[in-house]
Amino acid sequence: MELRLKDQIYIGDGALGTRLQELSGKTTMPPESANLDAAGRELVGRIHEKYIEAGARIIETNTFAANFPRLERFGLGKECERINTLGAEVARSAAAGRALVAGSVGPLDLGVTTAGGGARLLETHFRSQMKALKAGGVDLLMLETFSSPSEARAALQAAGGTDLPVFFSIGGQSIARPYARKSVLEMIAFANRFKPAVFGVNCLSPYDLGTVLKLAADNTDLPLLAYPNAGTPSIERGLVRYDLPAAALVEEARKWLGAGVVVFGGCCGTGPEHIRALAGAFKEKTPGAVRSGAGQGVSAGLPGGARPVCVEKKFAGGSFPLDNPVRAVLHSGKRPLIAVEVRAALSRNLAATVAAVKPLADCGIDFFNVPDNPAANPARDCMACAFLLQQKYKIPAIIHKAATQANALHVSSYLLGAADLGIRGVLAVTGDPPGAGAFDRVATRVNDLRSSIELLRLIALLREGALVNGQSLPEKVDLAAGCAFAHGGKLKSQTAWLAQKVEAGAEFVFTQPVFAADDFGRVAEALAKFTLKKFFGVMPLLSLRQAEFVRSGRIPGITVPPEVVEEIARYPKPEDQLKAGMGLALALVAGLAQSSDGIYLIMPFHKNSVALTADLARAAGRKQRF
């Protein structure tokens, strides 16, 4: 079939992935994996057939997420070429000359993953998928649901080398707020530059899609595409559902014809009934009048010369503003800086926890440091605790944030909320696996942000004024970012990992505890080449039982030198073991005070933990504050 956009309205198909999961009952594997077996291909073919029967004259291959990075998450990376080729062949067989076959290419959704390689690697992934789709016999490429300008640019660049017509569609981006227009305008500019056959919007409710379409119509003279969702999704008994009637969708779609839409179809939640209604309303129509003056509002650059935010940029290096209270203390020239860990334990409310640490505040410490569900055990919220500590004692608080205990949406909003409350320092950690703690049968690990490096990149993007999906923020969010260093028994590999954290934007580092001078020397030598501020952890071991517990490997990343255990073991009485453990810790702190940027005091497990920690702070040179 010939593509005739100037004088013909085209009806596309509806949702494929969500419909395939609904019909197959397989919701845990990517829909694209259905291309690999005969039963799956037969089901995909039947869905294509239903859409053609409903009036679709463009059908999309079952390959939306069939790029290497997304398939590799399911162990299917090696099947990338085969999945795409088979997906194209199934659609071509179903079309049988009655419809055009569009090779579906979705975003890589790398976000802040440690991809490396920058724009060139993005383009390589897209080119590989497109090559396989072309080999399978597609008539055109459908680049859809793009929200990251850097990925959109790479996909358009790769598509330009295929000699196939290109439909390019952005998705999931409302422009309800003025600042949210930035990335949308940037991608419209890319469309004006690369000149795809059609530019469009998909994967939004009809109302939101209409607002983005208007912006597009005002800023490009390209033919337009509209693939709305069947309304806004809801969760019913654990399942995501869309319930917008076909008639209501068509009423909204009627408003788009005059804006220059020449391709109508559906995205998430739409089915053959929606496509049948669209075909009935538009298949006999002709394209609307040419839009006068369109295409002049956005050039190939950003409005006003603004600099695009690209995920692949390097975040490390450069200067950071010192109006951040955490950063101001870090660069105050004071040595050693003292940070004290305060656990927001379940055993008492936060008001009691905050009141109990007054002796530490009176010692003149520099930071409170509040961990996030340490050892994967439930605790009270670290942000709430940090806020109350700052409010009462006027001492900056640094929160830990575990990357893998929440999805990217929650982590982003959580950090924005922390900044709004005046929390300006974050220690990015990967997070302990849920199996290590009391929620082992309830909680699961979340892989949106797979490591502390990816969380550091998210924080760096916030500092640039953007979210991980490329969406702009109304203002930059400046959080001083730190990381942890688990020296343990793998010092070389952990040092290499720390180098990546520094590259991702870490400004300071807290080490796991050191327990002896030799232990400190070994870690200090490994960290000597790094210019970020270093806090060496100190955790008193106050009994032989504690020393043996930690030595056993129960706490990941922490090792205890044998001589420390032997010294405490010399004393049979508990009170003497406590004196021995505190003696070792006091001597270590006094030494660190002369030779380190900072000391990170981890309160011991003891009923007098606050008083004992205050003794350690005074040993580092902190005096009573009046």
Side-chain angles (χ1 to χ4, degrees):
M1 293 178 62
E2 180 185 358
L3 192 61
R4 298 164 53 191
L5 296 169
K6 290 184 178 180
D7 56 9
Q8 186 174 334
I9 295 291
Y10 283 86
I11 304 299
D13 57 4
L16 181 57
T18 54
R19 190 157 184 81
L20 185 59
Q21 289 183 332
E22 178 185 346
L23 295 175
S24 69
K26 297 178 180 179
T27 59
T28 58
M29 288 297 287
E32 295 77 11
S33 64
N35 297 350
L36 292 174
D37 64 81
R41 291 193 293 274
E42 193 273 336
L43 181 56
V44 172
R46 278 196 281 125
I47 295 173
H48 288 322
E49 183 67 35
K50 291 292 184 182
Y51 282 127
I52 293 171
E53 291 175 358
R57 292 300 172 259
I58 299 174
I59 61 171
E60 295 184 49
T61 58
N62 180 36
T63 58
F64 173 74
N67 55 67
F68 180 84
R70 295 182 70 173
L71 290 175
E72 185 62 15
R73 298 172 196 172
F74 296 90
L76 294 172
K78 64 181 182 301
E79 300 286 2
C80 182
E81 179 179 353
R82 187 163 167 251
I83 287 173
N84 281 282
T85 303
L86 288 170
E89 291 175 354
V90 170
R92 190 159 51 92
S93 176
R98 298 172 295 168
L100 294 168
V101 174
S104 176
V105 177
L108 305 175
D109 284 342
L110 289 178
V112 289
T113 57
T114 315
R120 183 174 298 178
L121 181 60
L122 299 181
E123 192 177 327
T124 297
H125 286 313
F126 285 124
R127 188 179 292 112
S128 176
Q129 182 182 6
M130 293 170 188
K131 181 181 177 181
L133 288 168
K134 184 176 180 180
V138 299
D139 299 302
L140 60 99
L141 293 174
M142 174 77 81
L143 315 184
E144 55 182 332
T145 327
F146 278 82
S147 59
S148 162
S150 56
E151 290 198 13
R153 179 175 51 195
L156 285 165
Q157 188 74 44
T162 64
D163 297 324
L164 290 170
V166 176
F167 288 11
F168 169 50
S169 179
I170 61 177
Q173 295 246 45
S174 171
I175 54 170
R177 298 289 183 270
Y179 61 82
R181 297 178 178 226
K182 179 181 175 183
S183 58
V184 173
L185 287 170
E186 187 175 355
M187 289 187 285
I188 295 173
F190 290 150
N192 288 336
R193 172 185 169 189
F194 288 98
K195 300 294 184 185
V198 176
F199 172 73
V201 186
N202 74 291
C203 206
L204 285 171
S205 70
Y207 178 84
D208 288 333
L209 187 141
T211 63
V212 182
L213 267 180
K214 185 179 185 307
L215 184 67
D218 290 343
N219 288 283
T220 184
D221 56 7
L222 293 168
L224 298 180
L225 166 153
Y227 277 52
N229 292 339
T232 302
S234 62
I235 298 178
E236 182 180 328
R237 293 188 289 278
L239 298 176
V240 177
R241 298 193 182 280
Y242 296 80
D243 56 8
L244 184 70
L249 186 148
V250 169
E251 283 306 306
E252 288 292 324
R254 291 185 193 280
K255 304 172 185 178
W256 307 334
L257 185 64
V261 174
V262 298
V263 183
F264 292 87
C267 200
C268 298
T270 57
E273 67 279 12
H274 295 89
I275 302 309
R276 185 172 292 107
L278 288 170
F282 297 112
K283 69 178 180 180
E284 301 300 331
K285 301 287 187 182
T286 56
V290 176
R291 303 182 303 281
S292 60
Q296 304 305 311
V298 181
S299 66
L302 278 173
R307 180 167 56 89
V309 176
C310 299
V311 170
E312 70 267 16
K313 72 181 287 293
K314 293 183 178 180
F315 299 119
S319 59
F320 298 107
L322 293 181
D323 58 355
N324 180 308
V326 171
R327 195 175 293 120
V329 174
L330 288 173
H331 295 279
S332 64
K334 186 191 302 184
R335 286 185 55 159
L337 296 170
I338 305 297
V340 177
E341 180 177 288
V342 176
R343 302 182 193 95
L346 281 179
S347 56
R348 56 185 174 185
N349 64 41
L350 288 180
T353 294
V354 170
V357 299
K358 185 177 185 298
L360 293 168
D362 290 342
C363 286
I365 64 171
D366 300 289
F367 298 111
F368 286 112
N369 192 51
V370 190
D372 182 21
N373 296 317
N377 281 312
R380 298 177 189 270
D381 186 73
C382 63
M383 178 169 64
C385 184
F387 170 74
L388 293 174
L389 287 167
Q390 282 191 169
Q391 189 178 51
K392 183 173 180 65
Y393 299 115
K394 313 306 179 189
I395 295 172
I398 298 170
I399 61 169
H400 295 202
K401 189 56 185 170
T404 59
Q405 291 180 1
N407 67 22
L409 176 65
H410 174 82
V411 172
S412 299
S413 63
Y414 190 86
L415 293 177
L416 291 172
D420 289 339
L421 288 174
I423 307 300
R424 305 305 295 277
V426 179
L427 189 79
V429 297
T430 298
D432 296 308
F439 271 39
D440 58 319
R441 296 186 305 277
V442 179
T444 58
R445 181 184 171 100
V446 182
N447 287 318
D448 287 7
L449 303 169
R450 295 179 295 178
S451 69
S452 57
I453 290 177
E454 295 178 13
L455 179 53
L456 285 165
R457 292 186 177 207
L458 183 151
I459 294 169
L461 279 171
L462 294 178
R463 199 179 298 129
E464 292 287 326
L467 298 174
V468 293
N469 66 345
Q471 183 176 339
S472 300
L473 290 168
E475 59 188 5
K476 296 179 179 180
V477 179
D478 182 31
L479 296 168
C483 65
F485 183 68
H487 44 90
K490 299 178 180 179
L491 195 57
K492 184 176 180 180
S493 64
Q494 286 298 320
T495 303
W497 189 239
L498 177 61
Q500 294 186 53
K501 295 178 183 179
V502 173
E503 178 68 16
E507 305 171 56
F508 58 92
V509 59
F510 283 31
T511 78
Q512 291 280 34
V514 294
F515 294 96
D518 289 347
D519 205 15
F520 161 70
R522 179 177 64 91
V523 178
E525 182 180 359
L527 299 185
K529 66 179 181 179
F530 299 102
T531 58
L532 77 175
K533 298 296 181 181
K534 309 172 186 74
F535 289 76
F536 292 87
V538 175
M539 183 175 73
L541 300 173
L542 303 183
S543 69
L544 180 59
R545 181 181 178 184
Q546 284 183 14
E548 290 178 338
F549 175 84
V550 177
R551 182 185 62 178
S552 71
R554 182 64 180 83
I555 304 176
I558 299 180
T559 57
V560 181
E563 60 269 23
V564 172
V565 181
E566 291 167 4
E567 174 63 20
I568 296 173
R570 289 177 54 202
Y571 303 94
K573 294 183 179 179
E575 59 269 26
D576 293 331
Q577 291 177 5
L578 186 150
K579 290 179 182 178
M582 277 298 293
L584 291 171
L586 288 165
L588 181 59
V589 165
L592 291 176
Q594 305 301 315
S595 54
S596 64
D597 295 328
I599 302 171
Y600 166 38
L601 298 176
I602 304 168
M603 282 197 278
F605 296 99
H606 193 274
K607 63 181 180 180
N608 297 324
S609 60
V610 172
L612 293 169
T613 305
D615 289 341
L616 293 172
R618 284 187 282 270
R622 290 294 186 264
K623 305 301 182 184
Q624 190 81 9
R625 188 170 67 183
F626 298 100

